[in-house]
Amino acid sequence: MSASRESPDSELVFRLPRRTLRIAGIAFGAGLLLFAIVWLAGRGDDGFYQPEASVEGNKPVVEALPEPLPARGGASGLEEPSQAGNERPQLVEQAPMPAPLEEVPAPAAPTAPDAPAAAPAAGVALAPGDQPVPIAGQTPPPDYPAAALRRGDAGTVMVRVQVGADGVPTDVSIEARSGSRDLDRAALDAVRRWRFNPAQRDGQPVASSVVVPIDFNLQQ
């Protein structure tokens, strides 16, 4: 008796309430109705694009291309120059070019003998020896520098002067200094203005040098 008795928990049955099934059916039917309304409204839309029918009567007229030019003429339409059938090229004889003249070198100018030494200026006598001699009256004394006077500078400057064959100094330099730069500079400036009897050799004036003393004395 106990084996044939079925347990109440051996079979489970899931049942929904009738009210829930009714609500689900109503919602499904409303969805189908709404879809049908939207689909029908879309088919009747006037804004949907429709291709326009082309009218055959309004086709553009295409003109035919002109016929090509005949092959006898040039492509540009210009007339070609006429050519004589029997003309042949002819050789034109030209006179031969004259041979170039050979350049004859010009004869060299005869070399002049060594020019003698420059003669002294007019009225200037030669020195008696191989050293130039200052010309009296053409040896202006130097200017005593004012700065040297204020300091009381004095002394003798030995100036070596190079004299040309014309008796004019070409270079002056200090042979022995006085101890005052102002006095040395004044002595050089003075000797540059001197004139000399140029030295001689075999009766001809030659360039030479001589040392001359320039004294600066405050008692003068």
Side-chain angles (χ1 to χ4, degrees):
M1 295 294 291
S2 61
S4 61
R5 184 179 299 176
E6 295 180 359
S7 175
D9 298 332
S10 60
E11 183 179 357
L12 295 178
V13 178
F14 182 76
R15 297 179 179 177
L16 293 175
R18 293 181 178 179
R19 184 178 180 182
T20 302
L21 294 175
R22 187 182 299 111
I23 293 173
I26 294 173
F28 181 73
L32 290 177
L33 180 61
L34 181 61
F35 175 76
I37 294 173
V38 172
W39 182 71
L40 292 176
R43 289 188 60 184
D45 191 2
D46 295 336
F48 187 74
Y49 172 76
Q50 295 181 359
E52 296 180 358
S54 60
V55 180
E56 295 182 357
N58 296 332
K59 290 184 179 181
V61 178
V62 179
E63 297 180 359
L65 296 177
E67 296 182 359
L69 297 175
R72 60 183 178 84
S76 60
L78 301 177
E79 295 182 359
E80 295 182 357
S82 59
Q83 298 180 356
N86 298 327
E87 290 185 359
R88 294 182 180 179
Q90 298 179 0
L91 297 178
V92 179
E93 296 183 358
Q94 296 182 354
M97 296 293 293
L101 298 177
E102 296 182 359
E103 296 183 358
V104 179
T111 57
D114 296 338
V124 177
L126 300 178
D130 57 353
Q131 287 187 348
V133 177
I135 300 175
Q138 298 188 25
T139 56
D143 297 330
Y144 214 114
L149 284 174
R150 288 194 299 269
R151 292 192 302 267
D153 295 342
T156 300
V157 183
M158 303 301 292
V159 179
R160 177 173 292 277
V161 53
Q162 184 75 27
V163 181
D166 56 353
V168 179
T170 57
D171 187 32
V172 292
S173 60
I174 299 295
E175 186 74 12
R177 299 182 180 278
S178 64
S180 173
R181 183 175 299 178
D182 293 335
L183 298 181
D184 296 344
R185 187 181 299 111
L188 294 176
D189 294 340
V191 175
R192 287 191 182 97
R193 301 192 300 269
W194 287 15
R195 293 296 178 264
F196 295 80
N197 292 325
Q200 63 170 322
R201 184 180 302 161
D202 298 332
Q204 297 296 330
V206 293
S208 183
S209 64
V210 66
V211 177
V212 294
I214 305 296
D215 295 328
F216 292 91
N217 190 352
L218 293 175
Q219 297 179 359
Q220 292 179 354

